[in-house]
Amino acid sequence: DGEAREILEEAEAGIFYPPEDGTALAERICWLMDHSDERAEMGRRGKAYASEHCTRQAQAREMTDFLESLTEAEISVPQTQ
């Protein structure tokens, strides 16, 4: 659990298992091996999520939103091309 799981859930791009539960992990790995279409789709969704949320511009926008929430002032983020 944690931030990584939140991101994977939001992106619908991963599998989860209880921490320190090797049996559950093995079951999830076997499921992935048996479900190539779903595995590929998770990969596509993960790539799309990263392309949208993990760029420098997206990170700058997130930081700007955070700082504005603290200061309640508008901050301009330069646009890149």
Side-chain angles (χ1 to χ4, degrees), residues 24-52:
L25 174 58
E27 290 170 354
R28 302 315 191 279
I29 291 170
C30 289
W31 184 90
L32 286 170
M33 290 172 58
D34 293 337
H35 295 86
S36 61
D37 291 343
E38 291 90 341
R39 185 177 68 235
E41 185 58 32
M42 282 191 278
R44 284 189 284 276
R45 287 191 301 256
K47 184 176 180 179
Y49 182 91
S51 294
E52 181 178 341

mmCIF file of all heavy atoms in Angstrom, residues 24-52:
data_model
loop_
_atom_site.group_PDB
_atom_site.id
_atom_site.type_symbol
_atom_site.label_atom_id
_atom_site.label_comp_id
_atom_site.label_asym_id
_atom_site.label_seq_id
_atom_site.Cartn_x
_atom_site.Cartn_y
_atom_site.Cartn_z
ATOM 1 N N ALA A 24 0.325 -14.707 -2.460
ATOM 2 C CA ALA A 24 -0.502 -13.790 -3.245
ATOM 3 C C ALA A 24 0.284 -13.233 -4.424
ATOM 4 O O ALA A 24 -0.244 -13.109 -5.533
ATOM 5 C CB ALA A 24 -1.024 -12.654 -2.373
ATOM 6 N N LEU A 25 1.559 -12.917 -4.213
ATOM 7 C CA LEU A 25 2.392 -12.420 -5.300
ATOM 8 C C LEU A 25 2.520 -13.475 -6.393
ATOM 9 O O LEU A 25 2.362 -13.170 -7.582
ATOM 10 C CB LEU A 25 3.773 -12.023 -4.777
ATOM 11 C CG LEU A 25 4.807 -11.625 -5.841
ATOM 12 C CD1 LEU A 25 4.312 -10.449 -6.677
ATOM 13 C CD2 LEU A 25 6.133 -11.307 -5.179
ATOM 14 N N ALA A 26 2.776 -14.716 -6.007
ATOM 15 C CA ALA A 26 2.891 -15.799 -6.991
ATOM 16 C C ALA A 26 1.596 -15.967 -7.774
ATOM 17 O O ALA A 26 1.619 -16.162 -9.000
ATOM 18 C CB ALA A 26 3.269 -17.102 -6.284
ATOM 19 N N GLU A 27 0.459 -15.873 -7.097
ATOM 20 C CA GLU A 27 -0.839 -15.980 -7.775
ATOM 21 C C GLU A 27 -1.015 -14.860 -8.792
ATOM 22 O O GLU A 27 -1.494 -15.089 -9.902
ATOM 23 C CB GLU A 27 -1.972 -15.945 -6.759
ATOM 24 C CG GLU A 27 -2.053 -17.183 -5.907
ATOM 25 C CD GLU A 27 -3.029 -17.043 -4.747
ATOM 26 O OE1 GLU A 27 -3.572 -15.934 -4.516
ATOM 27 O OE2 GLU A 27 -3.240 -18.052 -4.045
ATOM 28 N N ARG A 28 -0.620 -13.633 -8.415
ATOM 29 C CA ARG A 28 -0.743 -12.496 -9.342
ATOM 30 C C ARG A 28 0.175 -12.659 -10.545
ATOM 31 O O ARG A 28 -0.197 -12.355 -11.669
ATOM 32 C CB ARG A 28 -0.423 -11.165 -8.655
ATOM 33 C CG ARG A 28 -1.235 -10.758 -7.427
ATOM 34 C CD ARG A 28 -2.729 -10.962 -7.551
ATOM 35 N NE ARG A 28 -3.471 -10.342 -6.482
ATOM 36 C CZ ARG A 28 -3.662 -10.834 -5.262
ATOM 37 N NH1 ARG A 28 -3.106 -11.964 -4.913
ATOM 38 N NH2 ARG A 28 -4.394 -10.196 -4.382
ATOM 39 N N ILE A 29 1.384 -13.157 -10.312
ATOM 40 C CA ILE A 29 2.314 -13.386 -11.418
ATOM 41 C C ILE A 29 1.760 -14.454 -12.368
ATOM 42 O O ILE A 29 1.798 -14.287 -13.591
ATOM 43 C CB ILE A 29 3.715 -13.780 -10.887
ATOM 44 C CG1 ILE A 29 4.352 -12.563 -10.202
ATOM 45 C CG2 ILE A 29 4.594 -14.296 -12.013
ATOM 46 C CD1 ILE A 29 5.627 -12.878 -9.438
ATOM 47 N N CYS A 30 1.226 -15.516 -11.818
ATOM 48 C CA CYS A 30 0.614 -16.558 -12.659
ATOM 49 C C CYS A 30 -0.557 -15.995 -13.448
ATOM 50 O O CYS A 30 -0.730 -16.310 -14.631
ATOM 51 C CB CYS A 30 0.169 -17.749 -11.806
ATOM 52 S SG CYS A 30 1.550 -18.718 -11.172
ATOM 53 N N TRP A 31 -1.356 -15.156 -12.819
ATOM 54 C CA TRP A 31 -2.482 -14.537 -13.520
ATOM 55 C C TRP A 31 -1.970 -13.707 -14.692
ATOM 56 O O TRP A 31 -2.509 -13.790 -15.795
ATOM 57 C CB TRP A 31 -3.289 -13.657 -12.549
ATOM 58 C CG TRP A 31 -4.509 -13.084 -13.200
ATOM 59 C CD1 TRP A 31 -5.747 -13.654 -13.245
ATOM 60 C CD2 TRP A 31 -4.602 -11.849 -13.906
ATOM 61 N NE1 TRP A 31 -6.606 -12.846 -13.941
ATOM 62 C CE2 TRP A 31 -5.923 -11.721 -14.361
ATOM 63 C CE3 TRP A 31 -3.701 -10.835 -14.202
ATOM 64 C CZ2 TRP A 31 -6.366 -10.638 -15.105
ATOM 65 C CZ3 TRP A 31 -4.142 -9.744 -14.940
ATOM 66 C CH2 TRP A 31 -5.459 -9.652 -15.379
ATOM 67 N N LEU A 32 -0.928 -12.910 -14.462
ATOM 68 C CA LEU A 32 -0.356 -12.104 -15.541
ATOM 69 C C LEU A 32 0.155 -12.984 -16.685
ATOM 70 O O LEU A 32 -0.024 -12.644 -17.866
ATOM 71 C CB LEU A 32 0.786 -11.224 -15.017
ATOM 72 C CG LEU A 32 0.379 -10.028 -14.180
ATOM 73 C CD1 LEU A 32 1.607 -9.396 -13.526
ATOM 74 C CD2 LEU A 32 -0.368 -8.997 -15.020
ATOM 75 N N MET A 33 0.776 -14.079 -16.332
ATOM 76 C CA MET A 33 1.296 -14.988 -17.364
ATOM 77 C C MET A 33 0.164 -15.570 -18.211
ATOM 78 O O MET A 33 0.325 -15.777 -19.409
ATOM 79 C CB MET A 33 2.100 -16.114 -16.713
ATOM 80 C CG MET A 33 3.410 -15.632 -16.118
ATOM 81 S SD MET A 33 4.286 -16.898 -15.148
ATOM 82 C CE MET A 33 4.500 -18.195 -16.346
ATOM 83 N N ASP A 34 -0.981 -15.799 -17.596
ATOM 84 C CA ASP A 34 -2.118 -16.413 -18.286
ATOM 85 C C ASP A 34 -3.025 -15.409 -18.990
ATOM 86 O O ASP A 34 -3.944 -15.814 -19.706
ATOM 87 C CB ASP A 34 -2.971 -17.224 -17.298
ATOM 88 C CG ASP A 34 -2.239 -18.441 -16.753
ATOM 89 O OD1 ASP A 34 -1.287 -18.915 -17.414
ATOM 90 O OD2 ASP A 34 -2.619 -18.905 -15.662
ATOM 91 N N HIS A 35 -2.820 -14.129 -18.794
ATOM 92 C CA HIS A 35 -3.713 -13.096 -19.338
ATOM 93 C C HIS A 35 -2.913 -12.048 -20.104
ATOM 94 O O HIS A 35 -2.801 -10.894 -19.687
ATOM 95 C CB HIS A 35 -4.505 -12.449 -18.200
ATOM 96 C CG HIS A 35 -5.451 -13.390 -17.526
ATOM 97 N ND1 HIS A 35 -5.060 -14.217 -16.499
ATOM 98 C CD2 HIS A 35 -6.759 -13.650 -17.752
ATOM 99 C CE1 HIS A 35 -6.096 -14.947 -16.112
ATOM 100 N NE2 HIS A 35 -7.136 -14.624 -16.860
ATOM 101 N N SER A 36 -2.391 -12.460 -21.238
ATOM 102 C CA SER A 36 -1.514 -11.565 -22.005
ATOM 103 C C SER A 36 -2.232 -10.317 -22.499
ATOM 104 O O SER A 36 -1.629 -9.239 -22.537
ATOM 105 C CB SER A 36 -0.870 -12.306 -23.172
ATOM 106 O OG SER A 36 -1.852 -12.794 -24.066
ATOM 107 N N ASP A 37 -3.493 -10.416 -22.877
ATOM 108 C CA ASP A 37 -4.222 -9.230 -23.349
ATOM 109 C C ASP A 37 -4.374 -8.204 -22.235
ATOM 110 O O ASP A 37 -4.137 -7.006 -22.444
ATOM 111 C CB ASP A 37 -5.605 -9.600 -23.896
ATOM 112 C CG ASP A 37 -5.527 -10.382 -25.199
ATOM 113 O OD1 ASP A 37 -4.452 -10.363 -25.854
ATOM 114 O OD2 ASP A 37 -6.532 -11.024 -25.562
ATOM 115 N N GLU A 38 -4.773 -8.659 -21.057
ATOM 116 C CA GLU A 38 -4.926 -7.752 -19.920
ATOM 117 C C GLU A 38 -3.577 -7.160 -19.514
ATOM 118 O O GLU A 38 -3.470 -5.982 -19.185
ATOM 119 C CB GLU A 38 -5.568 -8.458 -18.724
ATOM 120 C CG GLU A 38 -7.028 -8.812 -18.934
ATOM 121 C CD GLU A 38 -7.230 -10.195 -19.551
ATOM 122 O OE1 GLU A 38 -6.274 -10.748 -20.154
ATOM 123 O OE2 GLU A 38 -8.343 -10.724 -19.443
ATOM 124 N N ARG A 39 -2.539 -7.991 -19.557
ATOM 125 C CA ARG A 39 -1.193 -7.531 -19.224
ATOM 126 C C ARG A 39 -0.748 -6.436 -20.191
ATOM 127 O O ARG A 39 -0.249 -5.395 -19.772
ATOM 128 C CB ARG A 39 -0.233 -8.725 -19.272
ATOM 129 C CG ARG A 39 1.170 -8.420 -18.831
ATOM 130 C CD ARG A 39 2.038 -9.664 -18.837
ATOM 131 N NE ARG A 39 2.261 -10.143 -20.197
ATOM 132 C CZ ARG A 39 1.987 -11.377 -20.634
ATOM 133 N NH1 ARG A 39 1.505 -12.276 -19.812
ATOM 134 N NH2 ARG A 39 2.224 -11.724 -21.879
ATOM 135 N N ALA A 40 -0.992 -6.625 -21.470
ATOM 136 C CA ALA A 40 -0.629 -5.619 -22.468
ATOM 137 C C ALA A 40 -1.438 -4.339 -22.271
ATOM 138 O O ALA A 40 -0.898 -3.230 -22.394
ATOM 139 C CB ALA A 40 -0.844 -6.173 -23.878
ATOM 140 N N GLU A 41 -2.716 -4.492 -21.946
ATOM 141 C CA GLU A 41 -3.555 -3.306 -21.724
ATOM 142 C C GLU A 41 -3.089 -2.530 -20.499
ATOM 143 O O GLU A 41 -3.072 -1.294 -20.511
ATOM 144 C CB GLU A 41 -5.025 -3.708 -21.585
ATOM 145 C CG GLU A 41 -5.975 -2.537 -21.463
ATOM 146 C CD GLU A 41 -5.911 -1.571 -22.644
ATOM 147 O OE1 GLU A 41 -5.657 -2.001 -23.772
ATOM 148 O OE2 GLU A 41 -6.113 -0.357 -22.413
ATOM 149 N N MET A 42 -2.700 -3.221 -19.444
ATOM 150 C CA MET A 42 -2.152 -2.520 -18.278
ATOM 151 C C MET A 42 -0.901 -1.735 -18.670
ATOM 152 O O MET A 42 -0.695 -0.610 -18.224
ATOM 153 C CB MET A 42 -1.825 -3.499 -17.146
ATOM 154 C CG MET A 42 -3.034 -3.942 -16.373
ATOM 155 S SD MET A 42 -2.583 -4.834 -14.860
ATOM 156 C CE MET A 42 -2.277 -6.463 -15.507
ATOM 157 N N GLY A 43 -0.074 -2.329 -19.513
ATOM 158 C CA GLY A 43 1.119 -1.636 -19.987
ATOM 159 C C GLY A 43 0.777 -0.393 -20.774
ATOM 160 O O GLY A 43 1.392 0.672 -20.593
ATOM 161 N N ARG A 44 -0.225 -0.474 -21.647
ATOM 162 C CA ARG A 44 -0.653 0.696 -22.427
ATOM 163 C C ARG A 44 -1.202 1.792 -21.518
ATOM 164 O O ARG A 44 -0.893 2.972 -21.694
ATOM 165 C CB ARG A 44 -1.696 0.289 -23.473
ATOM 166 C CG ARG A 44 -1.109 -0.426 -24.677
ATOM 167 C CD ARG A 44 -2.145 -0.618 -25.771
ATOM 168 N NE ARG A 44 -3.081 -1.680 -25.464
ATOM 169 C CZ ARG A 44 -2.867 -2.970 -25.688
ATOM 170 N NH1 ARG A 44 -1.734 -3.374 -26.208
ATOM 171 N NH2 ARG A 44 -3.784 -3.862 -25.385
ATOM 172 N N ARG A 45 -2.013 1.381 -20.545
ATOM 173 C CA ARG A 45 -2.564 2.383 -19.625
ATOM 174 C C ARG A 45 -1.467 3.029 -18.786
ATOM 175 O O ARG A 45 -1.499 4.231 -18.531
ATOM 176 C CB ARG A 45 -3.628 1.744 -18.734
ATOM 177 C CG ARG A 45 -4.925 1.445 -19.469
ATOM 178 C CD ARG A 45 -6.043 1.058 -18.531
ATOM 179 N NE ARG A 45 -5.745 -0.113 -17.739
ATOM 180 C CZ ARG A 45 -6.230 -1.332 -17.952
ATOM 181 N NH1 ARG A 45 -7.042 -1.551 -18.966
ATOM 182 N NH2 ARG A 45 -5.917 -2.334 -17.165
ATOM 183 N N GLY A 46 -0.487 2.244 -18.363
ATOM 184 C CA GLY A 46 0.632 2.787 -17.594
ATOM 185 C C GLY A 46 1.435 3.786 -18.405
ATOM 186 O O GLY A 46 1.804 4.851 -17.911
ATOM 187 N N LYS A 47 1.689 3.461 -19.655
ATOM 188 C CA LYS A 47 2.435 4.372 -20.529
ATOM 189 C C LYS A 47 1.650 5.656 -20.762
ATOM 190 O O LYS A 47 2.220 6.750 -20.712
ATOM 191 C CB LYS A 47 2.744 3.689 -21.856
ATOM 192 C CG LYS A 47 3.587 4.534 -22.774
ATOM 193 C CD LYS A 47 3.943 3.789 -24.042
ATOM 194 C CE LYS A 47 4.801 4.671 -24.939
ATOM 195 N NZ LYS A 47 5.180 3.967 -26.176
ATOM 196 N N ALA A 48 0.360 5.542 -20.993
ATOM 197 C CA ALA A 48 -0.474 6.731 -21.207
ATOM 198 C C ALA A 48 -0.494 7.600 -19.953
ATOM 199 O O ALA A 48 -0.404 8.832 -20.034
ATOM 200 C CB ALA A 48 -1.894 6.318 -21.606
ATOM 201 N N TYR A 49 -0.611 6.966 -18.800
ATOM 202 C CA TYR A 49 -0.621 7.715 -17.542
ATOM 203 C C TYR A 49 0.700 8.453 -17.354
ATOM 204 O O TYR A 49 0.717 9.636 -17.025
ATOM 205 C CB TYR A 49 -0.873 6.772 -16.366
ATOM 206 C CG TYR A 49 -0.955 7.486 -15.038
ATOM 207 C CD1 TYR A 49 -2.177 7.935 -14.564
ATOM 208 C CD2 TYR A 49 0.184 7.722 -14.280
ATOM 209 C CE1 TYR A 49 -2.260 8.603 -13.361
ATOM 210 C CE2 TYR A 49 0.111 8.396 -13.074
ATOM 211 C CZ TYR A 49 -1.115 8.830 -12.617
ATOM 212 O OH TYR A 49 -1.190 9.511 -11.421
ATOM 213 N N ALA A 50 1.801 7.759 -17.583
ATOM 214 C CA ALA A 50 3.116 8.384 -17.418
ATOM 215 C C ALA A 50 3.299 9.535 -18.397
ATOM 216 O O ALA A 50 3.837 10.593 -18.033
ATOM 217 C CB ALA A 50 4.221 7.342 -17.609
ATOM 218 N N SER A 51 2.840 9.365 -19.630
ATOM 219 C CA SER A 51 2.963 10.428 -20.633
ATOM 220 C C SER A 51 2.188 11.671 -20.231
ATOM 221 O O SER A 51 2.583 12.787 -20.543
ATOM 222 C CB SER A 51 2.464 9.944 -21.996
ATOM 223 O OG SER A 51 3.295 8.921 -22.489
ATOM 224 N N GLU A 52 1.075 11.471 -19.540
ATOM 225 C CA GLU A 52 0.239 12.602 -19.126
ATOM 226 C C GLU A 52 0.664 13.205 -17.799
ATOM 227 O O GLU A 52 0.621 14.416 -17.618
ATOM 228 C CB GLU A 52 -1.220 12.152 -19.033
ATOM 229 C CG GLU A 52 -2.163 13.273 -18.644
ATOM 230 C CD GLU A 52 -3.606 12.822 -18.593
ATOM 231 O OE1 GLU A 52 -3.942 11.772 -19.182
ATOM 232 O OE2 GLU A 52 -4.405 13.517 -17.948
#
